[in-house]
Every structure is written in structure tokens, then in C-alpha cells.
Amino acid sequence: MIDKIYLDMDGVLCDFEKRYTELYNEAPNSSRDKKNWSVNWTDFVMSKQFETLDIFPGAIELLRYVRRTELPIEILTSSGGAKYHNLVAEQKDIWLKKQGLAYKRNVVPGRGLKASYATPNTILIDDTEDVIAVFNKAGGIGILHKDIGETLQTLDSVLAKQLNTVI
């Protein structure tokens, strides 16, 4: 039986990619190597962009849906690495407070670490394929979020199977 739903922030609740692309005219991963972000990443963090990101399209609909499940909801998001972990975590806290979202938040210093939260009774809604694959492999139920309609349909199906009821 499902006992928790984790929601990612960037790409699910807030629009990190849109802001990054607007500011630097490049996709977030375009100038990143495997160990370091570009100079733009440093500027993004130091200018506190995570505090003022736009709400991601469909996020309000997703939040309404998961609230109706009456299951515990937590945030599970990445800070993008150890270098700016505390700064990004603080900025994400501010964003959540501005949105009136008082959910427990879990910020990991790398997206691969989200798998440590996986159990057979937990759902993660995330927009990154490799995160979902690793979460599923670790025993959790990952839902890849690309389209709000598809996400809600998948979530409804998972919950109907798990709870033996339709929400």
C-alpha cells in the first residue's frame, strides 16, 4: 500500500529550465561536464534564481490531485551537487514558502541519491528519465513527468492498483 508521494521540484513544480534558458540562451546541461557546472550555474545560484522560478505548467493541477489522495506528500529534489548544496537548498525552501507549500523537503546533493528514498510503498514524480529508472530499480514506483495529463493518468492507475480504489 502506498504510504508516501515524493514530488520533484525542477521540471515538476517549478520551471528551472525555462529560467536558465532565458538567462543564458542555453539548456542547463549544454555546457556542463560530468563534474562541474558551467560558470552560468554559479551565476544562477549566486543570483538566487531558485527563489523566484515560475510555477511549472500543470503543477497546480498535480498538487490538487495529490492532496486529494490524503497520502503524505514530501518534496524530493536535487541541489545539483555538493558545491552549492546549502545555498540551493535554502533557495528552494524560500520558493516553497512563497508558494505556500509546507511539505517536508528532502534535498539531495545529486539526483542519483533520490533512489535512497525508494521503497515498494513510495511514489516519485520526476521529469528525469534516469532518476525514474534508478528509483524504480531501487524498488520504488517512479512516474516520469512530461505531460500533466499522462502523469495524472499514470498516478491514478498506480493508486487504483495499490489502494484498490479509484481516486
Side-chain angles (χ1 to χ4, degrees), residues 5 64-71 73 155 159 163 167:
I5 298 174
R64 279 189 200 125
Y65 183 98
V66 296
R67 285 178 184 138
R68 283 195 319 260
T69 69
E70 298 184 2
L71 291 166
I73 301 164
L155 186 56
L159 292 174
L163 301 174
I167 303 213

Side-chain angles (χ1 to χ4, degrees), residues 6 76 112 114-119 122-125 129-143:
Y6 291 111
L76 181 54
K114 291 180 181 183
S116 65
Y117 290 79
T119 74
T122 57
I123 294 172
L124 170 63
I125 299 172
E129 286 184 42
D130 62 302
V131 169
I132 293 300
V134 172
F135 194 84
N136 288 339
K137 187 175 181 181
I141 302 165
I143 297 175

Side-chain angles (χ1 to χ4, degrees), residues 1 5 9 21 25 34 41 43 51 54 59 64 75 79 91-95 98-99 109 116 118 120 133 137 145 148:
M1 188 140 154
I5 298 174
M9 287 183 69
T21 302
N25 200 29
K34 292 184 190 246
W41 174 248
D43 181 68
E51 294 180 10
D54 294 339
R64 279 189 200 125
I75 303 300
S79 66
Q91 291 175 34
K92 288 185 174 206
D93 278 346
I94 290 168
W95 188 89
K98 285 181 179 179
Q99 307 310 315
S116 65
K137 187 175 181 181
H145 177 69
I148 188 60

